[in-house]
Amino acid sequence: MNIAVNTKGSKYHVNEKGYYGKFGGAYIPEMLYPNVEELRTKYMEIMSDPAFQKEFEDLLRDYVGRPSPLYLAKRLSEKYGAQIYLKREDLNHTGAHKINNTIGQILLAQRLGKKRIIAETGAGQHGVATATVCALMGLECIVYMGSVDIQRQAPNVARMKMLGATVVAATSGSQTLKDATNEAIRDWINNPVDTHYIIGSVVGPHPYPDMVARFQSVISEEIRAQLKEKTGSELPDYVVACVGGGSNAAGTFFHFTEDEGVKLVAVEAAGQGVHSGYSAATSQLGKIGVIHASKTLLMQTEDGQIVEPHSISAGLDYPGVGPMHAHLYDTGRGLFLNATDEESLQAAYELCSLEGIIPALESAHALAKLKELDLKPTDVVVVCLSGRGDKDLETYIKNLKK
Amino acid sequence: MNRIDQLFSKKQNNILNIYCTAGYPAINDTVGVMQSLEAAGADMVELGMPFSDPLADGPVIQASSTKAIANGMSIKKLFEQLKDVRQRVNLPIILMGYINPVLQFGVENFLEHCAATGVDGIILPDLPMDEYEDEYKPLFEKHGLHLIFLITPETSDERIRKIDGLSRGFVYAVSSSSTTGKDKEFAGQKQYFERIKKLQLKNPVLIGFGIKDKATFEAASAYSNGAIIGSAFVKALETSNDVPQTVNQFVKAIIN
Ligand SMILES: Cc1ncc(COP(=O)(O)O)c(C=O)c1O
């Protein structure tokens, strides 16, 4: 288990001040200082504890079902002329990579003596993963979700409720993921002592981006071992992942950042097209600023008001991007592509017909860019299949008929 | 001398600081509301620069911010409105806002405009102390602008001292661990207020969050140099047909 690996001296991981290059930090109001400071001073100590790591590992194995398979997708490989592997995060309990992080954070919250858990959710995947671990540990769970998303993602709302969580509608602003995050932060301000906030991606104030990336880093740790077994080398030519806030991508990239020969490909949601006015391609449309207490790239007006993004996939519908990714973009270490709603739908249908796998709409964005990588037959490509498509069936069926 | 310091050199008790959102209720109400506040007897005004995602604010100030942005308010617009404000308003003026719009305007540009229009103090709740010390302190001082920091019931004595050391003008004591406009039990905060008093800070202290009427204003002022009223005032403006009269009645009900 490598979640506490020392990344000091790396150009691509967080520095001792909580920054990735010029991105990151903790732009929090004083009301949040004790909570965030407690996390900052304790997270590495807790994550380094062998007893903690054993508990995390045991739950990932026996409860989540890890390691997730690394599957050589033969027909997809044939079509794109390369060796394409899918990292099957869709096979995890609750259907996405999100559970890696919620298992880690719930164990951490227990060690901090917290009694009450809050979370934000967009598509509902992180909300379900949080409700799940709260049920597992017998902790109170409150999930904030934009009213618009509550309507778009009804099955996940029902799942959270069945798991015992209270789902609170965020009715402020545009009533989507950004506003759900605002409401969760406001809840934390109002409940500073007994509550832990399980953020669902590599966003928010330091140490969240690093902490969440570390819990998700099991993805790339496993990929290295699995590739070694299958190909004789730990190193692929490409790793590809979709980016909303960027947690599945951070997990997929984590143990490859220093291997400069491995191309890190991040795929953002272009929505109806990067310049259509209905897009969530933050690296292309964003400017540096502060969102949810992190200095990073974000979509905003000239006056510094945060603008509403658009994506067919609720999980990528976020106007910012984690500071680690802003830095990978800024340094050129990451290759940032984007996929439209339509391209992603087509990529999802293609994976169904070629491999018999219905991917989450988010993950379909990553698949949609295989066609733009200049692939050779010898190239080894790993795509993070971050989640399964059950939650998106309605969208898939609706668009098939069109 | 900075108008905030002037005020505290003349008056140490029952300082009434009223928050209102710039460009609210109507875009051109900004200066008029301040004039009415001054006429009615308020001591200081905190002008909110509206932000789309105000993390530390409750529903009332959120709604006023959304409305003000829809009205066309921005930092640029605000400085246009404040151009001649010192011919009409003598109250100390504090701009309160979140860091992102200020970063987009440019911190130095922002401070220059503040100094040129006669702003006295600034509150940026999401600008961390370290960042201020490392990057911006000399700029604020060069322009004679006070940056006012917040403390909360969870802030340790040691940290309060550090905040006091870095704050200019006054220290803003948040009454309870909450967002703005929450009605948390005021009496339970006695210990916290007494703890602050005992620390004998170098700066005056104003208490804010949850102060809404004469009773809460007086209770807060008993432990400090005065208090800040925000949500309750914004709420009064929300339903007002006659802004100057509403402002007058609101202030009078508190100080008379
Ligand atoms: C399956 C799946 N993939 C990706 C994401 C996007 O999140 P992140 O960018 O943090 O991986 C989500 C978010 O809901 C998701 O459900």
Side-chain angles (χ1 to χ4, degrees), chain A residues 177-346:
Chain A
L177 179 56
K178 149 178 106 69
D179 310 286
T181 308
N182 291 342
E183 288 309 322
I185 293 174
R186 291 185 185 119
D187 179 309
W188 213 20
I189 288 175
N190 283 288
N191 297 281
V193 180
D194 64 341
T195 299
H196 176 69
Y197 176 21
I198 301 192
I199 293 186
S201 193
V202 287
V203 300
H206 176 67
Y208 276 104
D210 186 49
M211 183 172 77
V212 176
R214 285 173 179 279
F215 286 133
Q216 292 293 0
S217 73
V218 294
I219 298 173
S220 48
E221 187 179 343
E222 288 174 6
I223 292 173
R224 288 185 81 111
Q226 289 166 322
L227 269 185
K228 172 93 185 163
E229 201 185 294
K230 289 179 198 292
T231 68
S233 165
E234 290 184 359
L235 301 180
D237 297 288
Y238 296 86
V239 284
V240 187
C242 67
V243 174
S247 66
N248 88 88
T252 304
F253 298 167
F254 197 94
H255 291 294
F256 292 115
T257 53
E258 313 310 298
D259 300 296
E260 302 265 356
V262 179
K263 296 185 189 69
L264 312 178
V265 183
V267 184
E268 294 177 308
Q272 296 173 19
V274 172
H275 299 292
S276 64
Y278 296 91
S279 177
T282 306
S283 70
Q284 303 306 304
L285 298 168
K287 274 194 313 198
I288 191 167
V290 172
I291 181 170
H292 296 138
S294 178
K295 191 181 259 186
T296 187
L297 296 171
L298 65 127
M299 293 165 56
Q300 54 185 314
T301 66
E302 209 176 297
D303 297 328
Q305 310 296 353
I306 299 175
V307 304
E308 209 29 55
H310 168 88
S311 168
I312 194 170
S313 102
L316 303 181
D317 212 351
Y318 185 68
V321 64
M324 174 184 181
H325 296 295
H327 183 57
L328 289 173
Y329 175 74
D330 194 52
T331 55
R333 175 69 185 93
L335 172 62
F336 279 68
L337 305 176
N338 52 79
T340 63
D341 293 347
E342 185 54 35
E343 285 178 299
S344 306
L345 285 167
Q346 293 316 317

Side-chain angles (χ1 to χ4, degrees), chain A residues 17 19 25-34 171-173 178-179 181-183 185-187 189-193 287-293 295-296 298 300-307, chain B residues 50-58 62 66 69 73-76 99-105 125-129 131 134 136 150-152 154-155 159 163 174 176-179 182 184 209:
Chain A
K17 290 195 139 179
Y19 280 83
Y27 292 76
I28 46 169
E30 186 62 28
M31 290 77 102
L32 285 177
Y33 179 82
T171 55
S172 57
K178 149 178 106 69
D179 310 286
T181 308
N182 291 342
E183 288 309 322
I185 293 174
R186 291 185 185 119
D187 179 309
I189 288 175
N190 283 288
N191 297 281
V193 180
K287 274 194 313 198
I288 191 167
V290 172
I291 181 170
H292 296 138
K295 191 181 259 186
T296 187
L298 65 127
Q300 54 185 314
T301 66
E302 209 176 297
D303 297 328
Q305 310 296 353
I306 299 175
V307 304
Chain B
F51 180 46
S52 54
D53 296 74
L55 289 180
D57 285 303
Q62 284 173 40
T66 306
I69 293 168
M73 186 41 70
S74 65
I75 294 182
K76 192 162 152 244
I99 188 72
N100 193 58
V102 175
L103 287 176
Q104 301 317 312
F105 195 80
D126 58 348
L127 174 64
M129 220 176 1
E131 193 90 5
D134 294 351
Y136 302 124
L150 273 52
I151 61 175
T152 84
E154 303 299 324
T155 312
R159 190 167 165 84
I163 288 170
V174 174
S176 63
S177 297
S178 72
T179 42
K182 269 264 155 74
K184 285 207 179 169
F209 286 39

Side-chain angles (χ1 to χ4, degrees), chain B residues 81-222:
Chain B
Q81 293 182 343
L82 295 183
K83 207 163 140 265
D84 305 316
V85 71
R86 284 309 175 196
Q87 285 156 28
R88 291 190 275 167
V89 179
N90 291 312
L91 294 177
I93 298 174
I94 294 161
L95 296 189
M96 182 274 172
Y98 292 82
I99 188 72
N100 193 58
V102 175
L103 287 176
Q104 301 317 312
F105 195 80
V107 176
E108 181 143 29
N109 192 23
F110 175 73
L111 296 175
E112 280 165 9
H113 278 76
C114 284
T117 48
V119 168
D120 304 287
I122 294 159
I123 301 176
L124 297 169
D126 58 348
L127 174 64
M129 220 176 1
D130 293 347
E131 193 90 5
Y132 171 69
E133 247 186 316
D134 294 351
E135 305 252 338
Y136 302 124
K137 192 162 171 270
L139 278 179
F140 276 73
E141 287 172 352
K142 178 173 129 195
H143 294 289
L145 290 160
H146 290 352
L147 187 66
I148 293 140
F149 285 96
L150 273 52
I151 61 175
T152 84
E154 303 299 324
T155 312
S156 68
D157 286 359
E158 186 192 344
R159 190 167 165 84
I160 291 179
R161 290 221 179 277
K162 190 169 170 209
I163 288 170
D164 184 41
L166 220 52
S167 288
R168 294 281 177 276
F170 63 93
V171 165
Y172 191 140
V174 174
S175 67
S176 63
S177 297
S178 72
T179 42
T180 53
K182 269 264 155 74
D183 252 328
K184 285 207 179 169
E185 186 51 61
F186 213 75
Q189 302 302 333
K190 248 184 172 173
Q191 264 191 335
Y192 159 58
F193 296 147
E194 272 164 6
R195 177 163 73 95
I196 301 171
K197 208 164 176 181
K198 266 208 204 113
L199 288 171
Q200 302 211 333
L201 304 183
K202 76 170 173 59
N203 283 293
V205 174
L206 297 184
I207 294 176
F209 286 39
I211 318 295
K212 57 179 183 197
D213 50 20
K214 190 174 174 70
T216 46
F217 175 71
E218 286 177 355
S221 298

Side-chain angles (χ1 to χ4, degrees), chain B residues 3 6 27 37 47 89 105 182 227 235 237-239:
Chain B
R3 287 175 201 82
Q6 272 174 29
I27 183 76
L37 283 170
L47 207 49
V89 179
F105 195 80
K182 269 264 155 74
K235 209 185 262 170
L237 290 182
E238 202 174 82
T239 50

